[in-house]
Amino acid sequence: MGFGFDEIHGRPETDSSSFTALLELPPPQAVELLIKEDFPAKPMPPPIFPSNIALIDRASKFSIYASPDNSPDSTAILPASSSMKLDLVKQEPLESDSHPNSSSPAVSNQSSKSGKRKEREKKAKESNKKSQKVAANEASELSGEKLPYVHVRARRGQATDSHSLAERARREKINARMKLLQELVPGCNKISGTAMVLDEIINHVQALQRQVEFLSMRLAAVNPRIDFNLDAVFAAESGSSIDNSYLGMFDPSIWPEGQINGSRQNLYQQPLHFDGLHQPSWGREDDTSNFISPEDSLLSYDSPPNSAENGAVKRRARVSQVARFVYTGYN
Amino acid sequence: MCNSTMLKQEFLKKWIKGLHIYNNLNKCVTISDRKKAIKLSADVAIASTRKAATHWSKALMDDVVSRDGNNIILVQQILGGGQNAEKNNSGLITCSNRILRRSHNNIMACRKARRRVVPRCVKSSSIARKLVKNKTRVLKSLVPGGQKMDGHRLIKETLDYIVSLRVQVDVMRRLACAAERFHP
């Protein structure tokens, strides 16, 4: 056993990082670690493999001494082709699980590389008429970089001068955003044509703005004092049979100090230890309530905009659930 | 999506905070005063959730500040920072820019109208383009700060604005229902 360690000790300082790791490791994992240490540093097959091969040979021999069941690994390691080693690096993370520090950079590098490759492939497939550069540009644009040039290959039967190309690129960006808008605004998916879609968007924005006005009027009509509703609402909430754990998520520090009175503080203090009960009770609430769940309320906004004005009867019926829902929704 | 619920929580907190602050500053007697206060706090709160990352939020803040000088305190407290002097100036600048642009547009429209002869054939593409232009103009008037944006940016801002408006409406509606339940 000591023979292997001494050998490795005697090596020059070029591979010191892997040695220090080796020193702490039992022999079978040391071999795997050696290979992984090389790979995260260089994406391409590094040229220093030949010098490592001797080391790896020795280490593999050492591992054979240490435990016979690792011999398939070591014998597989011996051939020095870089592609083989890449494959092995991919396999080995599956086997070794005791060294997350060393294995994770390799694995994450691999996965991030493959992820980027996949993203680029997907983009190339979607915009299959465009050149690769545009796909790469889009991928990097998503990550926040700005590139000076956009290389677009002209499609068949279209003008090729720079102005129209740039304009086409711009138009395609606009079209992509319009598609997002179409998904967001309900009922826009079936409409084709920019003008009609814009019409729907305008209607939607106007309806939302009108709703804000109307709701602020409602809230103003409820109470003589504008900040009074919350005190009373919370106080009433605590009196009802509703689980007080929901109130715990509003911590008292957000209210200005002058307004907090003793009774409210008591109200907040006691439910705080109920936090652990949050999860199971929400499942029930979400199932029984008729409202859109908080997770979907932004994306699946399928109630018509004017329902607030003429849905008063429906609202009264749901009010008890709503009162609970105001607080369940906030987590 | 936990992101939306976090947004709603943030909006609610800021809104309530704004309401408290406003209540301390101004006395609201009539119902319209209260309504204005509520709407103002809600607008400031929803704009501050974006933290000036989008143009419409900045424009909305400018609007609030320029409407009434007292609102600066409200905005300051909610934003938690001293960017208000700049906001004041930028608000004035945008107002003057708007006026300049509108006058410029009017002039150009007049010139174009005079120059145009009866068109020989009415192309559908030109009609479509005119329609789109009109609608874009309307959208620009709806989205705060929309006058300064070109088509591409306008759509991006509209997306963000719609999402924020929905958050605002959702939270306000729930609070209104809950409040009505306990104060019928």
Side-chain angles (χ1 to χ4, degrees), chain A residues 286 289-298 300 325 329, chain B residues 1 4-5 8 170 174:
Chain A
D286 285 341
S289 84
N290 300 336
F291 271 82
I292 307 164
S293 69
E295 291 77 28
D296 300 335
S297 65
L298 281 188
S300 68
F325 205 66
Chain B
M1 200 171 43
S4 73
T5 52
K8 286 182 202 171
D170 205 13
R174 290 182 190 188

Side-chain angles (χ1 to χ4, degrees), chain A residues 184 213 255 297-298 319, chain B residues 8 16 35 166 173 181:
Chain A
L184 196 62
E213 294 266 347
W255 313 119
S297 65
L298 281 188
V319 139
Chain B
K8 286 182 202 171
I16 304 305
K35 178 226 168 199
R166 276 196 198 162
R173 186 188 300 161
R181 163 112 167 78

Side-chain angles (χ1 to χ4, degrees), chain A residues 186-221:
Chain A
C188 256
N189 287 327
K190 302 155 193 154
I191 299 178
S192 63
T194 317
M196 297 295 121
V197 169
L198 275 175
D199 220 7
E200 284 295 314
I201 293 168
I202 287 170
N203 283 340
H204 194 58
V205 170
Q206 273 174 337
L208 284 171
Q209 282 174 338
R210 261 184 274 136
Q211 267 188 308
V212 169
E213 294 266 347
F214 181 70
L215 282 166
S216 57
M217 181 61 88
R218 264 178 76 191
L219 274 168

Side-chain angles (χ1 to χ4, degrees), chain A residues 66-260:
Chain A
S67 45
D69 55 339
N70 274 335
S71 52
D73 289 0
S74 50
T75 49
I77 286 163
L78 283 172
S81 69
S82 55
S83 59
M84 286 276 293
K85 285 194 178 155
L86 275 171
D87 292 338
L88 286 166
V89 170
K90 276 187 203 158
Q91 289 165 18
E92 275 156 358
L94 297 173
E95 297 160 346
S96 75
D97 54 354
S98 56
H99 299 286
N101 320 346
S102 50
S103 58
S104 54
V107 174
S108 61
N109 271 354
Q110 293 276 332
S111 57
S112 67
K113 271 182 253 164
S114 60
K116 278 186 194 154
R117 244 179 278 131
K118 276 181 201 155
E119 195 188 325
R120 259 183 248 130
E121 284 168 18
K122 225 193 299 176
K123 294 233 169 261
K125 276 181 207 153
E126 284 171 15
S127 60
N128 53 4
K129 300 251 176 86
K130 286 190 190 166
S131 65
Q132 272 295 344
K133 267 291 174 85
V134 178
N137 284 356
E138 280 185 359
S140 54
E141 197 187 308
L142 288 176
S143 61
E145 301 170 24
K146 281 218 172 113
L147 295 164
Y149 294 111
V150 174
H151 300 270
V152 182
R153 189 169 290 149
R155 290 186 216 179
R156 196 193 152 120
Q158 292 200 336
T160 55
D161 60 320
S162 61
H163 290 293
S164 55
L165 280 175
E167 217 184 280
R168 201 178 320 132
R170 213 173 355 106
R171 248 184 289 146
E172 255 143 32
K173 262 196 275 181
I174 291 183
N175 284 341
R177 293 263 162 82
M178 288 285 291
K179 276 204 196 97
L180 274 175
L181 262 178
Q182 266 185 301
E183 283 167 28
L184 196 62
V185 175
C188 256
N189 287 327
K190 302 155 193 154
I191 299 178
S192 63
T194 317
M196 297 295 121
V197 169
L198 275 175
D199 220 7
E200 284 295 314
I201 293 168
I202 287 170
N203 283 340
H204 194 58
V205 170
Q206 273 174 337
L208 284 171
Q209 282 174 338
R210 261 184 274 136
Q211 267 188 308
V212 169
E213 294 266 347
F214 181 70
L215 282 166
S216 57
M217 181 61 88
R218 264 178 76 191
L219 274 168
V222 161
N223 259 308
R225 276 186 64 191
I226 57 177
D227 57 344
F228 190 64
N229 9 352
L230 297 142
D231 301 2
V233 165
F234 290 154
E237 281 281 303
S238 71
S240 68
S241 60
I242 295 160
D243 188 353
N244 287 337
S245 60
Y246 302 140
L247 299 175
M249 61 187 91
F250 293 105
D251 57 44
S253 57
I254 65 170
W255 313 119
E257 292 70 26
Q259 300 285 340
I260 293 178

